[in-house]
């Protein structure tokens, strides 16, 4: 379903919004202690101690519901359970929470814990690994044993001494230099799901789905320039060129123009690892070239965003617009208004146990997205503010 915005942009300051929520909750006969309990439950999934509830209730009574919610995020279960379940669907095609811990999910947990500017997870040379003190199995390019061990041992990922930040380019056996890394997009977990086999279009599709909350159907644009539609796309499927013009081109024009960013990347199924071939386009890009030999032939890793104008201008593009490689592509996705809104929508669904709906929720999404952008894209604050928003549910 297409994502609508209904014109609610930057319409209400966060403080006013949160005050309104607290007042609403109060009229629903929920006192500060009950409100504190709801906040803690939504953010951690576990009961709070009496001491914690007393402290949170005092903050709420004093008009600082957001502060109370932020204090709840200090509980280890916020990161080990809530944030983990939030991020896990980003690393598999089924978007399931029931897959094992991997470097994609661990990096999100670490970034939230350390209050990093969250847009960095799509373009920086960054990954989180278990420390030597808690893991006997080092990070490996060929398997997920390191993270499986962390999960099986039940280590506390909220502890900075347990989960530590490092660079992907320094990992043993990597083929990526600092300029070839792109945060989550070049983690092993992401590559295993979206850079394996196929045509690497999945790497773009799931980037827009996971981080802009927009799937290809939402991004359809019949006006997009078609010069980068690849050779493997028939211009007259079933002998009918109208099918191509109406059903194929609207997605492929934008998708294929962006997917060049991953032309040198592949997840090798035999070696079970991410590989990088600088200057050499992966054969998958040239497969089925005979379907339409006059189509675009991928000769390098350049990309261009044809969705910046037309019906997809609402995304709020502010990045480079074109470039080479995955890093600049990650920057293009993360430097959008839609990136902020999408994080809020997904967080709200997680902590409120429902998708945003109705004018109050839509205004809350915009207000919290404003706060996200104004506070160094701090995702912890998004969790806290979202929990406050639905505290009266």
């Amino acid at each position: 379903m297409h994502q609508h915005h209904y014109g609610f942009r930057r319409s209400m300051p966060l403080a006013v919004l949160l005050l309104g929520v607290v007042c609403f909750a109060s009229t629903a006969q929920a006192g500060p202690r009950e409100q504190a309990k709801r906040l803690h439950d939504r953010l951690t999934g576990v009961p709070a101690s009496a001491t914690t509830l007393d402290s949170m209730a005092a903050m709420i009574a004093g008009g600082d519901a957001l502060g109370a919610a932020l204090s709840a995020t200090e509980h280890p279960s916020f990161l080990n359970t809530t944030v983990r379940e939030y991020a896990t669907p980003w690393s598999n095609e089924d978007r399931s929470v029931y897959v094992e811990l991997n470097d994609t999910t661990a990096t999100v947990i670490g970034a939230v814990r350390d209050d990093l500017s969250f847009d960095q997870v799509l373009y920086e040379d960054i990954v989180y690994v278990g420390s030597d003190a808690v893991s006997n199995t080092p990070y490996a390019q060929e398997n997920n044993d390191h993270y499986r061990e962390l999960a099986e041992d039940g280590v506390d990922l909220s502890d900075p001494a347990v989960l530590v930040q490092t660079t992907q380019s320094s990992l043993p056996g990597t083929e990526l230099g600092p300029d070839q890394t792109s945060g989550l997009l070049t983690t092993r977990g992401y590559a295993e799901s979206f850079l394996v086999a196929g045509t690497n279009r999945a790497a773009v599709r799931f980037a827009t789905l996971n981080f802009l909350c927009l799937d290809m159907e939402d991004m359809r644009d019949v006006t997009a320039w078609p010069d980068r539609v690849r050779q493997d796309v028939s211009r007259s499927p079933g002998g009918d060129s109208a099918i191509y013009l109406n059903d194929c081109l609207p997605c492929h024009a934008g998708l294929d123009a962006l997917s060049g960013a991953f032309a040198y990347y592949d997840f090798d199924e035999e070696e079970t690892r991410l590989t990088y071939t600088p200057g050499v386009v992966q054969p998958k890009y040239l497969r089925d070239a005979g379907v339409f030999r006059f189509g675009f032939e991928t000769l390098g890793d350049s990309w261009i965003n044809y969705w910046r104008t037309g019906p997809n201008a609402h995304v709020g593009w502010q990045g480079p617009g074109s470039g080479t490689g995955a890093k600049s592509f990650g920057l293009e996705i993360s430097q959008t208004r839609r990136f902020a809104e999408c994080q809020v929508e997904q967080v709200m669904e997680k902590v409120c146990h429902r998708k945003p709906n109705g004018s109050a929720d839509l205004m809350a999404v915009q207000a919290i997205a404003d706060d996200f952008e104004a506070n160094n894209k701090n995702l912890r604050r998004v969790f806290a503010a979202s929990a406050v928003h639905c505290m009266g549910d």
Side-chain angles (χ1 to χ4, degrees):
M1 181 177 294
H2 190 78
Q3 304 290 326
H4 298 283
H5 304 292
Y6 301 98
F8 293 113
R9 287 185 66 85
R10 306 182 186 276
S11 53
M12 183 179 296
L14 182 62
V16 175
L17 173 70
L18 299 181
L19 178 60
V21 173
V22 173
C23 291
F24 170 79
S26 299
T27 61
Q29 307 301 317
R33 192 173 181 82
E34 176 60 27
Q35 292 173 340
K37 181 180 183 301
R38 292 179 185 176
L39 281 180
H40 198 278
D41 288 349
R42 289 185 183 279
L43 288 165
T44 69
V46 297
S49 68
T51 301
T52 297
L53 281 181
D54 288 343
S55 174
M56 290 177 62
M59 282 189 274
I60 292 171
D64 188 13
L66 182 62
L70 286 169
S71 71
T73 66
E74 297 300 324
H75 192 286
S77 288
F78 167 67
L79 291 164
N80 287 303
T81 301
T82 305
V83 175
R84 177 177 173 176
E85 291 178 352
Y86 171 78
T88 297
W90 294 346
S91 67
N92 66 93
E93 284 200 5
D94 293 333
R95 308 191 83 206
S96 170
V97 299
Y98 302 109
V99 299
E100 62 186 15
L101 181 71
N102 54 42
D103 54 355
T104 311
T105 302
T107 299
V108 175
I109 293 171
V112 175
R113 184 197 68 197
D114 294 345
D115 294 323
L116 300 186
S117 180
F118 197 68
D119 60 323
Q120 294 182 31
V121 303
L122 290 188
Y123 60 83
E124 283 292 355
D125 182 9
I126 183 175
V127 68
Y128 278 78
V129 301
S131 68
D132 293 340
V134 298
S135 177
N136 295 316
T137 305
Y139 182 101
Q141 300 292 334
E142 298 80 13
N143 60 62
N144 193 49
D145 294 352
H146 174 73
Y147 294 95
R148 186 180 300 114
E149 180 190 46
L150 295 179
E152 290 176 351
D153 290 348
V155 299
D156 180 9
L157 302 177
S158 71
D159 185 347
V162 169
L163 187 68
V164 297
Q165 179 182 339
T166 186
T167 58
Q168 292 179 31
S169 61
S170 68
L171 292 173
T174 184
E175 296 180 359
L176 303 179
D179 292 339
Q180 288 88 51
T181 61
S182 187
L184 305 181
L185 304 180
T186 49
T187 53
R188 185 183 185 277
Y190 194 89
E192 185 175 25
S193 290
F194 309 125
L195 291 172
V196 65
T199 61
N200 280 5
R201 290 180 175 104
V204 175
R205 182 217 166 182
F206 280 89
T208 65
L209 182 59
N210 292 331
F211 307 115
L212 302 181
C213 298
L214 297 168
D215 206 347
M216 290 301 99
E217 280 298 305
D218 305 309
M219 306 289 283
R220 285 172 57 89
D221 180 6
V222 297
T223 68
W225 195 247
D227 67 322
R228 289 218 174 192
V229 179
R230 288 196 224 162
Q231 296 171 312
D232 62 347
V233 178
S234 173
R235 270 41 171 196
S236 56
D240 187 351
S241 60
I243 294 177
Y244 165 73
L245 293 172
N246 295 318
D247 294 338
C248 305
L249 181 150
C251 291
H252 277 283
L255 174 60
D256 287 12
L258 289 169
S259 62
F262 297 95
Y264 301 156
Y265 298 83
D266 184 44
F267 187 83
D268 188 310
E269 292 184 270
E270 292 186 4
E271 296 185 8
T272 62
R273 58 163 294 155
L274 173 64
T275 62
Y276 182 76
T277 53
V280 179
V281 174
Q282 291 291 332
K284 65 177 73 177
Y285 277 76
L286 308 174
R287 187 184 303 143
D288 297 324
V291 171
F292 186 74
R293 63 189 183 89
F294 300 107
F296 183 73
E297 180 182 1
T298 305
L299 299 176
D301 66 344
S302 67
W303 61 267
I304 185 169
N305 185 2
Y306 287 141
W307 285 331
R308 291 175 73 92
T309 59
N312 294 313
H314 71 87
V315 172
W317 307 99
Q318 302 171 54
S322 62
T324 57
K327 186 181 290 290
S328 57
F329 168 78
L331 194 65
E332 178 78 351
I333 295 295
S334 66
Q335 303 306 300
T336 63
R337 172 64 179 188
R338 188 67 199 133
F339 175 76
E341 295 168 347
C342 178
Q343 304 321 302
V344 178
E345 290 172 5
Q346 293 184 91
V347 168
M348 195 174 290
E349 182 174 359
K350 177 61 182 170
V351 300
C352 298
H353 311 303
R354 57 176 171 78
K355 292 184 177 181
N357 63 85
S359 60
D361 281 357
L362 294 171
M363 285 192 291
V365 167
Q366 295 304 321
I368 298 171
D370 285 346
D371 185 75
F372 176 68
E373 292 182 328
N375 286 277
N376 195 39
K377 297 183 179 176
N378 184 304
L379 197 66
R380 184 194 298 268
R381 284 179 63 92
V382 172
F383 274 93
S386 297
V388 170
H389 169 69
C390 56
M391 185 168 58
D393 287 3

